[in-house]
Amino acid sequence: MDLYYMPVSPSCWSVLLLNRQLGLSINLKPIDFQAGDHKKESFLKINPAHTIPTLTVGDEYALGESRSIMVYLVESQTNNGTHSLYPLDAKLRGLIHNRLDFDLGTLYQRFVAYCSPLYTSGTQGTEENRAKAHEALETLDIFLGKFRFAAADHLTIADFSLMATVSAFDLCYFDRSKYENVSKWYKACTKELVGYEDVILKGFPEWRKFIPNPELITK
């Protein structure tokens, strides 16, 4: 299996962490976004949507979108059985997909709206963007008040995706200290997720250098 990825992409972080958790052997193929590697003909043949990450299995199978990749990776390891990270129970899977959809459609989108301009234009998002980001974190805090982790009292693939997004908020100095359940869950995840420091944390100082005037950021 080959994984086309970027080291500072939250979507890629979730897949990289899951790869470590499952102990898989995946060939990592870095993509230079600024150089336009994702728009080159060779990559478009693999994934016409040119999204990162993209997983390939042999010459015939290619899969984009981090959440779909995570489902595939876990199910490929079960041998028609079940795995605690993505159990067969319909109600639990419903909660897992609810959290994944919340991350994709709400939390991650609000991170992008507020934090991404720091890297693209040197300015942060609007006050409305900031308020919506806090609103999303407040919702996550409520979700996390029900279980030890995102969808259950044990890790599921939902935690990998949400952890990556919340880490991205931390990367741009966003203050989430008032969300007690988020803080408790995040601390638990840093201990449970194999490779957290290597995949996510160690790159923070380098990537923060690209944020001009971080002391002026409204959190």
Side-chain angles (χ1 to χ4, degrees):
M1 292 187 289
D2 293 335
L3 181 70
Y4 296 83
Y5 80 108
M6 294 188 302
V8 75
S9 161
S11 298
C12 294
W13 288 346
S14 60
V15 177
L16 291 168
L17 286 171
L18 181 60
N19 174 44
R20 296 287 191 92
Q21 201 81 17
L22 295 174
L24 302 178
S25 178
I26 296 180
N27 300 314
L28 300 180
K29 294 184 174 293
I31 290 288
D32 188 335
F33 216 70
Q34 291 185 324
D37 287 355
H38 62 302
K39 294 290 186 70
K40 291 180 179 178
E41 184 178 354
S42 57
F43 187 71
L44 290 175
K45 287 181 179 178
I46 297 170
N47 181 359
H50 54 78
T51 55
I52 304 297
T54 292
L55 180 78
T56 60
V57 183
D59 296 327
E60 302 296 328
Y61 189 79
L63 188 63
E65 303 297 338
S66 61
R67 295 155 189 85
S68 297
I69 292 172
M70 287 195 293
V71 170
Y72 168 79
L73 288 177
V74 173
E75 293 207 315
S76 71
Q77 301 303 303
T78 62
N79 193 27
N80 296 321
T82 186
H83 196 290
S84 63
L85 292 174
Y86 191 56
L88 290 174
D89 180 80
K91 288 183 177 179
L92 180 48
R93 281 200 174 183
L95 286 177
I96 291 170
H97 283 281
N98 173 270
R99 305 308 193 246
L100 290 172
D101 289 344
F102 167 76
D103 182 41
L104 175 62
T106 302
L107 189 64
Y108 184 73
Q109 293 303 318
R110 294 185 186 186
F111 154 74
V112 170
Y114 184 70
C115 292
S116 287
L118 290 171
Y119 291 93
T120 58
S121 63
T123 60
Q124 59 187 350
T126 65
E127 179 61 27
E128 181 181 6
N129 294 144
R130 187 173 74 90
K132 286 185 175 180
H134 275 294
E135 181 184 64
L137 284 167
E138 184 176 355
T139 300
L140 178 61
D141 200 65
I142 294 171
F143 286 155
L144 293 171
K146 298 179 179 180
F147 305 103
R148 183 166 178 250
F149 291 99
D153 287 327
H154 58 81
L155 281 176
T156 69
I157 58 173
D159 294 289
F160 292 79
S161 189
L162 288 163
M163 179 70 170
T165 301
V166 174
S167 294
F169 273 106
D170 289 354
L171 181 59
C172 67
Y173 297 98
F174 198 89
D175 183 11
R176 56 174 176 79
S177 59
K178 67 179 180 179
Y179 305 109
E180 295 182 6
N181 293 327
V182 172
S183 297
K184 183 170 64 175
W185 162 81
Y186 192 89
K187 183 177 180 180
C189 283
T190 62
K191 296 177 180 179
E192 295 284 343
L193 297 182
V194 176
Y196 161 74
E197 291 192 4
D198 188 43
V199 171
I200 297 179
L201 193 60
K202 77 174 186 181
F204 272 27
E206 185 64 28
W207 286 104
R208 279 176 169 168
K209 292 178 183 178
F210 293 96
I211 302 178
N213 304 314
E215 69 278 3
L216 300 180
I217 297 172
T218 303
K219 303 175 182 180

